[in-house]
Amino acid sequence: MTGKFDISGLDDVIHGRVRLGIVAYLASAEVADFTELKALLEVTQGNLSVHLRKLEDAGYVAIDKSFVGRKPLTRVRLTDAGREAFGAYLRAMARLVEQAKS
């Protein structure tokens, strides 16, 4: 096989396993609470917090914190920028798969 693979469209912020899982889930679920994401992705609270912070810093997710009674509730949703970045990421992956087939 010759040629160069174009990986320029693979967003490093999204490409990590946990962050990709977060973004992919939120793309269909619209919103999820912290506990739901933690269980779904089978990660620790600290690990999830780090990944959410990275996505939030990139502007890909919005995090809303509130209380229900005395319990904290953290809800996460994909922003418009996050949705656009995820679409671009998926298109880049599709191109990469096509290149691998050639």
Side-chain angles (χ1 to χ4, degrees), residues 53-91:
R53 173 64 55 103
K54 190 158 190 169
L55 288 167
E56 183 180 36
D57 288 348
Y60 293 172
V61 299
I63 299 174
D64 301 310
K65 295 183 179 203
S66 63
F67 284 89
V68 175
R70 294 183 179 201
K71 288 183 155 186
L73 177 64
T74 301
R75 297 185 52 86
V76 183
R77 66 177 172 76
L78 206 55
T79 63
D80 289 342
R83 194 167 298 283
E84 288 175 24
F86 185 51
Y89 176 86
L90 292 177
R91 288 188 297 277

Side-chain angles (χ1 to χ4, degrees), residues 10 15 17-18 31 36 51-52 58 63 69 78 81 83 85 89 96:
L10 297 181
H15 193 67
R17 180 187 69 83
V18 173
V31 67
E36 177 183 4
H51 289 291
L52 286 174
I63 299 174
L78 206 55
R83 194 167 298 283
Y89 176 86
L96 191 58

Side-chain angles (χ1 to χ4, degrees), residues 17-31:
R17 180 187 69 83
V18 173
R19 291 186 302 273
L20 179 57
I22 293 167
V23 172
Y25 184 72
L26 291 175
S28 63
E30 297 294 326
V31 67

